[in-house]
Amino acid sequence: MSRIPLVDLKASYARHRAGIDAAMQDVIDNTRFINGKEIAEFEAAYAEFCGTAHAIGVGSGTAALHLALAALGVGPGDKVVVPAHTFIATAEPIDWLGAQPRFVDVDPETGAMDPAALKLVVDGAKVVLPVHIHGRPVDMDAITAIATDAGAQVLEDAAQSQGAEIVRADGTVVRAGGYAVAGCFSFFPGKNLGAFGDAGGITTNDDEFAGRVRRLRDHGRTTKYEHLEVGYAHRLDTLQAAVLGVKLRTLDADNQRRRELAEAYTQRLQGVGDLRLPPQTPAQISVVHHYVLRTAHRDALLAHLGARGIGAGIHYPVPLHLQPAYAYLGHRPGDFPVAEEYANACLSLPIYPELTEESLDVVVSAVRDYFESAGA
Ligand SMILES: *Cc1c(COP(=O)(O)O)cnc(C)c1O
């Protein structure tokens, strides 16, 4: 029986092995484990990739969000607006700083923060934190206009969207992480650009903000023995920077391959059963971190694929307002109906640059077979 995983980290390593092994061995030989030169090299290359003035390597995507919120001065009593449909790491650092998340519903097609819903809850918020969910940028023009009107700052949770592109009304293109005050990236192993453990980054065009983030990630340090403010231990490891530097070289091509695979899924699954496929959004160019379809038969389809050795996933089964961790906010089912419907219906198909045409065929046939034979 064929085995097709949701993501294939072994195939990724096999492709990059020579470069990664050499880069890691060099760090080990020189024992530059903390603040090694590979970090500055990766930061310069990643800033260029994103088209931003700065990229700052940090310990994880969650650390990136924590630092960016801290650098904006978020603290006790503040409210930060986040979508109800996202991974919990978008919201947790808000609580760490003594502030509170304020959830907002999402667009029924893209699953991303809905500007119309934002308008209703933005008053009094200090920061608006949309997520480029599944690799597709949100409508940053609309969200930024609403946030700015309300006096709120905007941060991008770009954890899933390394290289995704926003085409502005005037035709110029901005990469994810280059639109708002700052973009927060995760380089968790399964992300489009993945390290060999936890890693993350922050992009910004603001020199002062960049300086504050650099200081905060390393114990508030200005020199070896001077600590200007109480900071955090959120540095990027040199070994991770070495891995990321090698994998970054093929990221544009890898993202393009993901888009081609997504296009193939979409063409071949059109009109099958009750499937709702990812929307076309020409002004928001996705890097297809997840290929998400929606169906009323989600759980049965997931079991059908699993029985055939196909790794499908659910991103994510429970919206944040219904997580026990956020019971303290007092939400009820029905508060964010679109996010709830998305959570109940979404299913992610295998997608990664090394996925072959043959494997894609197997996945497509298995999905079609479910709807043709299972009486769905
Ligand atoms: C992965 C992810 C994060 C957290 O990143 P880590 O590197 O795992 O800490 C935050 N937000 C979103 C939307 C993510 O997908």
Side-chain angles (χ1 to χ4, degrees), residues 60-63 65 86-87 89-90 131 133 157 159-160 186-188 191 198-199 316:
S60 68
T62 315
L65 290 155
T86 182
F87 179 57
T90 307
V131 181
I133 194 82
D157 181 338
Q160 302 184 355
S186 167
F187 305 125
F188 184 84
K191 299 286 159 84
D198 281 310
Y316 299 89

Side-chain angles (χ1 to χ4, degrees), residues 126-177:
K126 181 161 179 120
V127 176
V128 174
L129 174 49
V131 181
H132 303 314
I133 194 82
H134 311 312
R136 180 194 314 279
V138 298
D139 184 347
M140 287 300 292
D141 283 334
I143 285 170
T144 306
I146 293 163
T148 307
D149 258 4
Q153 305 244 48
V154 182
L155 285 178
E156 299 170 53
D157 181 338
Q160 302 184 355
S161 61
Q162 301 86 353
E165 292 181 332
I166 300 156
V167 184
R168 304 195 56 167
D170 64 6
T172 53
V173 174
V174 185
R175 284 203 159 177

Side-chain angles (χ1 to χ4, degrees), residues 42-190:
F42 170 68
E43 289 176 337
Y46 197 65
E48 193 187 338
F49 176 86
C50 292
T52 54
H54 306 274
I56 302 147
V58 300
S60 68
T62 315
L65 290 155
H66 190 199
L67 288 167
L69 290 162
L72 286 183
V74 169
D78 289 333
K79 303 279 190 283
V80 177
V81 183
V82 297
H85 171 64
T86 182
F87 179 57
I88 194 168
T90 307
E92 284 171 307
I94 300 165
D95 292 80
W96 298 348
L97 292 163
Q100 270 188 11
R102 185 182 282 170
F103 299 126
V104 63
D105 215 344
V106 295
D107 178 273
E109 288 305 312
T110 62
M113 182 182 281
D114 177 7
L118 173 64
K119 210 176 247 175
L120 304 177
V121 301
V122 72
D123 275 346
K126 181 161 179 120
V127 176
V128 174
L129 174 49
V131 181
H132 303 314
I133 194 82
H134 311 312
R136 180 194 314 279
V138 298
D139 184 347
M140 287 300 292
D141 283 334
I143 285 170
T144 306
I146 293 163
T148 307
D149 258 4
Q153 305 244 48
V154 182
L155 285 178
E156 299 170 53
D157 181 338
Q160 302 184 355
S161 61
Q162 301 86 353
E165 292 181 332
I166 300 156
V167 184
R168 304 195 56 167
D170 64 6
T172 53
V173 174
V174 185
R175 284 203 159 177
Y179 192 113
V181 182
C184 301
F185 290 90
S186 167
F187 305 125
F188 184 84

